[in-house]
Amino acid sequence: MDLNQLYRAVIMDNYKNPKNKGLNHTDDFHFVHLNNPSCGDDMNVEVKVEDGIIKDIRQDGHGCSISMSSASVMTDVLIGHTIDDALKIINDFYEMVKGNDEIDEESLGEAIAYKGVRSFPARIKCATLAWKAIEKAINEVK
Ligand code: ZN
């Protein structure tokens, strides 16, 4: 299996079996909704922060396989990190999909699977939608 096949497998697996899907609608979670009109992607995220640490993230929405799978991967990568670390990882994800290789690949974990999106500029908004939503949510509770 070459790297591109591996990346595609990560994306399809997270699309078919999304992690942390479904919202809690409880007061301990902060909610943000964002959409991506260019593709019709619609994204809801919730974050639970305690003592500066991301304790939990929930995601729900509808749209293309890139946006939906990326939301699943995002939750898995960011849960357990401090707010500051999470914001750095989010920024590294943006840099990666834009084509910058000066990033901390290790902390991106499975999110590295979206590296190929740089070759498809129209899909960058799909890949980053959930990350933009959680970034907004984190900054609002910070
Ligand atoms: Zn999309």
Side-chain angles (χ1 to χ4, degrees):
M1 207 193 248
D2 70 19
L3 212 50
N4 282 328
Q5 281 178 307
L6 180 68
Y7 290 169
R8 208 151 39 232
V10 168
I11 291 168
M12 284 320 292
D13 185 47
N14 278 278
Y15 181 57
K16 288 178 184 161
N17 305 298
K19 300 181 185 93
N20 302 298
K21 183 148 174 122
L23 302 176
N24 273 39
H25 300 291
T26 51
D27 289 343
D28 50 343
F29 281 84
H30 184 74
F31 171 83
V32 164
H33 168 257
L34 283 184
N35 64 354
N36 169 23
S38 65
C39 182
D41 303 320
D42 196 83
M43 182 67 59
N44 300 298
V45 299
E46 285 181 334
V47 66
K48 181 182 185 178
V49 175
E50 275 174 21
D51 301 326
I53 293 168
I54 296 173
K55 291 287 186 182
D56 202 5
I57 300 172
R58 304 292 305 176
Q59 55 88 12
D60 204 2
H62 56 86
C64 68
S65 59
I66 298 286
S67 66
M68 294 298 109
S69 63
S70 183
S72 168
V73 170
M74 175 278 288
T75 64
D76 210 34
V77 168
L78 296 183
I79 290 172
H81 282 282
T82 64
I83 280 180
D84 287 343
D85 282 352
L87 290 172
K88 187 184 173 304
I89 294 167
I90 291 166
N91 193 61
D92 273 0
F93 184 78
Y94 298 156
E95 290 298 316
M96 179 187 73
V97 295
K98 279 191 288 185
N100 185 353
D101 286 322
E102 302 296 310
I103 50 166
D104 179 2
E105 294 199 353
E106 200 168 321
S107 66
L108 280 170
E110 281 199 326
I112 205 80
Y114 296 85
K115 202 172 194 173
V117 169
R118 59 180 61 178
S119 307
F120 306 94
R123 310 311 298 280
I124 290 176
K125 280 183 181 171
C126 302
T128 58
L129 182 62
W131 300 74
K132 296 273 183 199
I134 202 68
E135 181 185 29
K136 184 166 188 279
I138 290 170
N139 280 317
E140 285 175 1
V141 293
K142 201 176 170 181

